[in-house]
Amino acid sequence: MLLSLQWLREFTPYEGTAKDLGERLTMLGLEVEALNRPCLDMEETLVGLVRECVRHPDSDHLSVCKVDAGGPEALQIVCGAPNVAVGQYVAVAPEGSSLPGGLKIKKAKLRGVLSQGMICSERELGLSEDHSGILVLQEAMPGRAFTPGRKAAEALGLDLEVLDIGVTPNRPDCLSVLGLARETALAFDLPLKVPSLERDGLEGGEGFGDFALEVENGEISPLYQLRLIRHLTAGPSPAWMRWRLRAVGQRPISNLVDVTNYVMLELGQPLHSFDFDRLRGRLVRVARAAPGERLVTLDGQERKLSPTDITIRDAEGPIALGGVMGGASTAIDGDSRTVLLEGAIFNPAIVRRTSRRLNIFSDAAYRFERGVDQRMTAFALERAALLLAGLGGGKAASVPLSLELKPLAIPRLPLRRARAAALIGIPLEAEFCVSTLRRLGCAVEEEKRKEADWVVTPPSWRPDLEREADLIEELARVYGVDRVPESIPAVPHTLDQAGQPESRHKFLARVKAWAAGAGLNEAVTFSFVGHRELDFLALPRQGRVGIKNPLNADLDVLRPVLAPGLLNALRHNLAQRAAGLRFFEVAAAFSEDPQSPYGTGVREEARLGFLLYGDRYAASWPRSSEDADYLDLKGLVEQFFTCLGLPAPEFVREATGEGAAYLDPAVSLRLNREELGSLGRLRPDLAGSFYAKKEVWLAELLLDKIFALSSKVKASFVPWPVYPPVRRDLTVIAPADLEAGAILAAIHAVRPEYLEEARLWDLYQPEGNTREKHLTWRLTFRHPARTLLDAEVDGIRDKVAKTLVEKLAVRL
C-alpha cells in the first residue's frame, strides 16, 4: 500500500517526519518497506513569473521570455509553447538543473538567442503525458499564491514523500489512507477527520424510476447499492487528482474513471462505474454465472465463466465479474453521459477463487478477498457520486438503490485482564486497556456478571478481531512489544522426570546438536520441490505428493527425499565460490500413504541428510590439502550411531539402479537387517548441473526408525580396563573387488579369544596394479584379569590369518 504523507495529513494532523512515522507503524505491525520520493527529479525546478514575452526575431513559433525565478536577475528563456504569456506563473528548470528522465539543462543559443533554462510542460515534469503547452500554475491550481524562486513541487502541493507499506492479509482496513490514518492517530494520539460530503446542489437529478435491482442471495453479496449520476461530461481529471494518483502508482484516465480509484484508495471501498445508457433493459441483477457463459472484461480478454463466479447482469446477460473486473460492453468512455455507480460487498472466498482461476489480480479483488467494511460502503458510494457530479458537471439522483440481504454481524467479545497479562507477560493498567480499545474504535462495556472484566464490540472495519486473543494482541502491539521485558521461562526438572523416555522433539534436537558439534553447517531448505527436479535425479514418480495450488510451477510437489534441497544449497554456495562444504539437514520427507494416521493420505518421515564436497579441512596448514571422500561420509555415520549408543551399522553396496538412483556408487545402511538409509556419491553426470567440479557425497538416514532403536538403548556402566592392551597388525593382499567389510566379517567369524577391536588401519594401492589392494588391520587384544603374553596373542593372530587365507583367497 502506497501512502502519501500529504494525503495522510488531510485525515490527521501528523507533523512528524516520514522516517518517524515509518518506524512507529513498523512497530505496530505495518512494516514500511521503502520511502519513495516521486518528485525527486523536480527538486531543482522553481516557480517563475513571466515578466516579458516577445516574438523570436528569427522564428514565427518561438518566444523570448524574461522570467523571474527568484534570482538577482531575470532569466532569458526561449520557449516554443503556444500558450506562454506575460504574467503567468510557470515551472522553470534553470541552467544546471535536471528533469525527469535525466535531461540536463544547459545554457544554449536557439537561432542565435541565448536561453538560460526551460519553461516546462506537464510531460517534461513527469506529471502527465500532456505536451500541448507549458504548465501554467494559476490555471492548474486556482486560488494558490505562488512566489518566484520557490520549489515548484512544494508550491503545487505535490505529494513529496510516499511510504510503501507492507500490509498483512489480516489487516484489510489498512488498504486505504483512512485506515492508515487511524493507525497514525492511534500511534501519536491525534484526532481523526473523515472527509465531509459536500452536496452543494450536486444532488436532485432524475431518479431510477422503474429500474429494478435484484440480488440472488446474501451469501454472494450481503450488500449491493447503486447510485445514478446524469448529465456528465467526460474529460481529464483536475490536476490535483491526476498528480496524486500518479504519486501512489495509479494511471489517471478521465474524471469519470479516476474518481472510483481515488475513493478506493482513500476509503478502501472498491467501486465500479457502468455506462447506464449501454445497459440492456431496466434491470441489474447480481447472480452466479450460468454454465458456458462468456464475458469480455475491461482488459479486452474474453473470459469463460464458471457457475461459481459472481456476475453483475442486465436483462440479457453478464456485464461484469462481481468484485473482480468490469465488462467491456458497459465501460466508461469519452461519450458516456450517465453513470451507474456500484458500491457493494462480495463474498471474499468466491472473489479469490475467481481471481485466481482467471488470473485477474485487480486492486478491487485484492481488497474484496481480504474483507471490506460493509458499513463504509454507503458513505464511499455517496462520496464518489458527489465527486463525479462535481468534476463531471452532472447531477446525482437523491436516493440510491440498495439491497442488504445479510446485515453485518459483529461479535461481542469478553476480555479478561488476567488473561491479557498471561499472554503478554506483564499486567496492563485497566485505564490503558479501555483507552486503547476505544481509540481502536471498539465499544467497551463493563461486564456486570464478572465473567470477564469487559465486553468489547470491535469496529466494523476490523474483521480480524474475532476472539479474546485478538483483542489482547491489539493491546500488546499498541503498548509496544519492544517494551515487554525479557524473561527466561522456567523449565523445571525434577527427579520424577528422570528415566522418562526421550520425546521425538528432544531426539531431533539432540541430532541437530550432534551434527553441529561434528563440524557440519545446518541447511534449511524448502519442503516444496519440482517434479522436474525429481525426474532429473531419476527418483520414481510413484508415491509423490503433488500440490494442487503451488507457489509456482517449479515447486509443485512435496519432497520425498532431502537430496534436492541439499543439492540446491550446494549450487548456491558454489556460485559464491565456496571451497569446502559440509551440510546437514534435519527435516521431513513426504510420500503417499492411504493408511496415514491422520487421514491425510500422506506419510511424513523425519530424516537426517549429509552433504560433503571439496576440502576435507577448513584450512590446509598444517594438514595436507585433501578432498572429502567416502570414508569421511562413512565415518560421520558411524560416529552418529556411536553417539546414540547403537551398534555399528552394516554398509552394503547396492547394485546400479537400486535404492537412491542418483547415487553411484550407492551404499545401503542396515542394522539388524532393517533398512536405515543410504549413502554414496552423486552420479558424475548429474553433478555438473549443480556447478560441482569435484565428487559430491550424500547420505540420508531414516530418523524415525533410528529413534525407535535409540529409545531401546539402556545405559550401562562398566569399569575402566585395568590391564594393558596388546596390538598386532595384519596386512592382507586382496583382490580389488573384495570389500573390507567381508574381511572384517571373516575376522569376527573366527571368534578370536580376547579380541577387543578389529580396525582397518591402512589401505595401500600398488602403483600400476589395479587388480589388488593391501589392507592393514590392527587387532587389539585385552584380558580382563591379567596381562596377555606375546606368545598367546601371536597364536591367536596366526589363527585369524590362516582362516582369512583359506576362506577369502587372500595373501598375507
Side-chain angles (χ1 to χ4, degrees), residues 393-670:
K395 289 281 186 180
S398 300
V399 180
L401 276 182
S402 177
L403 281 178
E404 188 170 19
L405 300 183
K406 189 177 180 182
L408 181 65
I410 299 179
R412 298 178 76 248
L413 307 175
L415 178 59
R416 298 163 289 175
R417 282 184 65 200
R419 181 61 177 158
L423 287 182
I424 298 174
I426 58 171
L428 298 176
E429 296 292 334
E431 183 180 353
F432 168 80
C433 295
V434 173
S435 171
T436 298
L437 292 170
R438 286 176 175 160
R439 286 160 55 207
L440 285 165
C442 301
V444 183
E445 307 170 32
E446 293 283 344
E447 175 55 72
K448 297 179 181 179
R449 292 172 295 177
K450 294 304 177 186
E451 296 174 0
D453 292 282
W454 305 283
V455 175
V456 180
T457 304
S460 60
W461 59 84
R462 291 298 302 272
D464 58 311
L465 302 183
E466 300 177 323
R467 52 184 182 157
E468 182 184 31
D470 297 330
L471 298 175
I472 295 172
E473 182 183 14
E474 291 298 294
L475 295 176
R477 75 182 186 92
V478 175
Y479 178 81
V481 177
D482 54 322
R483 295 175 56 195
V484 177
E486 299 174 359
S487 60
I488 300 176
V491 182
H493 289 282
T494 64
L495 290 176
D496 296 337
Q497 297 173 310
Q500 289 183 356
E502 184 180 38
S503 69
R504 182 174 182 270
H505 174 76
K506 287 186 177 180
F507 172 75
L508 296 180
R510 183 155 64 101
V511 170
K512 288 185 178 183
W514 168 83
L520 304 174
N521 295 309
E522 184 174 8
V524 180
T525 65
F526 277 131
S527 297
F528 307 136
V529 294
H531 281 292
R532 187 167 57 182
E533 283 183 272
L534 302 182
D535 293 341
F536 179 74
L537 294 177
L539 290 166
R541 278 193 169 256
Q542 183 180 3
R544 294 184 191 176
V545 181
I547 301 171
K548 291 183 178 179
N549 187 23
L551 296 173
N552 59 55
D554 295 327
L555 300 173
D556 54 357
V557 63
L558 288 171
R559 61 185 173 201
V561 294
L562 304 188
L566 290 172
L567 290 171
N568 285 330
L570 170 71
R571 177 194 286 122
H572 177 77
N573 281 270
L574 290 182
Q576 311 304 318
R577 302 180 181 236
L581 300 171
R582 299 168 66 86
F583 293 150
F584 83 91
E585 182 172 19
V586 175
F590 306 87
S591 59
E592 289 184 344
D593 181 9
Q595 307 301 321
S596 63
Y598 302 107
T600 61
V602 178
R603 181 171 72 250
E604 180 177 340
E605 297 178 318
R607 298 196 177 190
L608 168 63
F610 301 132
L611 183 147
L612 304 181
Y613 175 85
D615 295 345
R616 173 173 287 153
Y617 306 112
S620 58
W621 190 89
R623 304 182 181 96
S624 59
S625 179
E626 301 171 355
D627 290 334
D629 58 19
Y630 171 72
L631 294 179
D632 295 271
L633 191 66
K634 181 173 180 283
L636 278 172
V637 174
E638 290 175 330
Q639 183 187 356
F640 177 60
F641 275 73
T642 300
C643 176
L644 296 179
L646 295 172
E650 183 182 3
F651 297 85
V652 181
R653 181 161 180 172
E654 298 178 347
T656 303
E658 296 183 5
Y662 52 89
L663 298 178
D664 184 25
V667 176
S668 175
L669 185 68
R670 299 173 189 171

Side-chain angles (χ1 to χ4, degrees), residues 111 213 377:
R111 296 198 177 185
L213 170 62
T377 303

Side-chain angles (χ1 to χ4, degrees), residues 201-253:
L202 299 176
E203 288 187 321
E206 183 182 344
F208 285 92
D210 61 348
F211 192 88
L213 170 62
E214 299 176 1
V215 178
E216 183 179 290
N217 60 64
E219 291 302 317
I220 63 172
S221 180
L223 171 66
Y224 195 87
Q225 296 183 321
L226 294 172
R227 253 323 207 132
L228 191 60
I229 306 98
R230 298 180 183 272
H231 312 300
L232 294 166
T233 301
S237 297
W240 61 268
M241 181 175 284
R242 287 187 282 115
W243 297 342
R244 173 155 289 170
L245 288 174
R246 279 188 177 275
V248 294
Q250 291 281 340
R251 182 175 65 89
I253 299 173

